[in-house]
Amino acid sequence: MTLALPLPLPRARTLSPVLPVVAVVALLGLPLGPGGEGGAGPADALSALVVLFCAVRLLRQRRRPLSLTAALVLGLPVVGLALAAMGASSPGAGLSGLGRYLQIFVLVPAAVVLLVRDRSDFRVLAWSFVGLAGWQGAVGGHQFVTGTGASYQGENIRAVGTFGPQDVMGMATVVAFGLICAVGLALGRTPVRQRAIAACSALALLVPLALSFSRGAWIATVLTCAVQLALAGPRRALKVGAVAAAAGVILVGGFGFGSAMLQERVNSITQVRDAPDQSVTDRYTLWAAAVGMWRDQPLTGVGLKGFPEHRDGRASLALSSGSDTDGAGSGFVKQPLLSPHNMYLLILSEQGLIGLLTLAGGWLAMLACGLRGWFRVRRSGPGLDCALVACGLLIWQLVDFTYADIGGPSTVLTAVVFGAVAWWALVGGSDREEALAR
């Protein structure tokens, strides 16, 4: 009996500390309540527990938390956020905005960096992105086929997954992240079976991404996949490009899979200047309002959560009263336009140049370090797939931020993405052996 009792303990020790982060990703597969406004959800609550778990784990193991470089890159945004919080219109707005920004860009990413032990853990996290994307994509595909999705051109066919019409970009973001991870895993040097599964997953995820009718997600995904193929090498780029082109011809041309609406949506990308629709007009108007706020307060901005308060004083009459949402289990709702739908302009208007330099500067530093890690493994290193996944996720997010910002239940996934990117850039891409298995 005395010999049998300790047996479960070694098994418990083999459990990866990254599993709580995977649980955060998994919780995003749960459906939201009908008509939910898309605020903090179960995944956000669990992300706070993950940060607490990470802190307790560090105290118990008495480990040195982050390197000086990692602490500088991840902690730099705190400076701009603190200044913007002090300039908020009310203490409540300042504290709530500060907490949200710290969650997404500082605390959760730092916890992910500390909980990912090695490249095997990183791959587990990447596969969890693919799994979540597959689930949300399946729900979105069912919505398109059965006419139970969000409203699009008078029909309830827009795939939004479990996020509902209030977070219409949620499913597109999740599916794009999964597709980027699958492409990176397929282009790596892992066993052939894993690469084949990843390639098939990437091809399958093209369907729900198309059915999201999200022009921004399409643009960011195409650009990111092109960069991933270029980083993987010209031969693989040609092979994968040929397969993707063939799949697109079969899905759209061969089966007519929503070809008319998709073609119209694609064509609208080139009409943003000549004949823009109301959504594009609203976006340009909000961008102009954000620039006006920055000009008034160039260094520190108007304060966290200050954009809605200052919007009407700087927006032209071309701005509509809000965007209409309907379908996917929710009734008709007119959503107010409370952000410029551009992360860089949102930061610039609310946090000024100081906030933009500290936040975007950290992202660019991670991109530079991530590409340096890719350079180390591009020839024969075992971490090429990790480099392609991390660099791809960051590039997609940086492109996406030009026409989107944080908000909604899918935002916590952005925090996990920045954590995964930061791990590769600051730890996993290092040539030191201790960085591979801490």
Side-chain angles (χ1 to χ4, degrees), residues 353-435:
L353 281 174
I354 296 176
L356 183 64
L357 290 175
T358 54
L359 266 171
W363 302 338
L364 292 178
M366 284 191 282
L367 180 60
C369 293
L371 290 174
R372 184 182 62 182
W374 162 80
F375 186 80
R376 289 191 178 117
V377 301
R378 76 191 192 284
R379 296 291 184 185
S380 57
L384 179 61
D385 56 333
C386 299
L388 296 176
V389 168
C391 294
L393 288 173
L394 182 56
I395 291 171
W396 191 96
Q397 193 63 78
L398 294 180
V399 175
D400 177 75
F401 274 166
T402 60
Y403 45 76
D405 48 48
I406 58 174
S410 60
T411 301
V412 69
L413 196 62
T414 301
V416 179
V417 163
F418 275 111
V421 170
W423 179 84
W424 171 258
L426 304 171
V427 180
S430 172
D431 56 354
R432 296 173 299 174
E433 287 296 325
E434 62 267 24

Side-chain angles (χ1 to χ4, degrees), residues 222-419:
V222 169
L223 291 176
T224 302
C225 288
V227 173
Q228 285 181 302
L229 291 173
L231 294 178
R235 292 185 179 180
R236 292 185 179 183
L238 290 175
K239 291 179 182 178
V240 177
V243 172
V249 170
I250 294 174
L251 289 175
V252 179
F255 297 115
F257 204 70
S259 56
M261 288 187 174
L262 288 175
Q263 184 63 44
E264 181 180 352
R265 191 66 167 171
V266 171
N267 291 338
S268 68
I269 296 176
T270 62
Q271 298 172 353
V272 293
R273 290 186 177 272
D274 298 332
D277 55 31
Q278 185 59 48
S279 64
V280 175
T281 300
D282 287 341
R283 186 160 299 184
Y284 285 162
T285 305
L286 292 169
W287 289 0
V291 172
M293 296 177 201
W294 166 68
R295 286 175 177 169
D296 290 344
Q297 299 288 339
L299 288 180
T300 58
V302 297
L304 293 181
K305 300 222 168 180
F307 182 86
E309 182 180 349
H310 294 81
R311 180 200 64 183
D312 293 339
R314 292 167 177 81
S316 69
L317 296 178
L319 183 66
S320 66
S321 58
S323 59
D324 300 337
T325 63
D326 195 5
S330 299
F332 177 83
V333 176
K334 182 173 284 293
Q335 282 190 302
L337 303 173
L338 302 179
S339 73
H341 295 284
N342 180 304
M343 192 64 200
Y344 306 109
L345 290 179
L346 177 63
I347 297 172
L348 196 63
S349 62
E350 294 187 346
Q351 302 177 42
L353 281 174
I354 296 176
L356 183 64
L357 290 175
T358 54
L359 266 171
W363 302 338
L364 292 178
M366 284 191 282
L367 180 60
C369 293
L371 290 174
R372 184 182 62 182
W374 162 80
F375 186 80
R376 289 191 178 117
V377 301
R378 76 191 192 284
R379 296 291 184 185
S380 57
L384 179 61
D385 56 333
C386 299
L388 296 176
V389 168
C391 294
L393 288 173
L394 182 56
I395 291 171
W396 191 96
Q397 193 63 78
L398 294 180
V399 175
D400 177 75
F401 274 166
T402 60
Y403 45 76
D405 48 48
I406 58 174
S410 60
T411 301
V412 69
L413 196 62
T414 301
V416 179
V417 163
F418 275 111

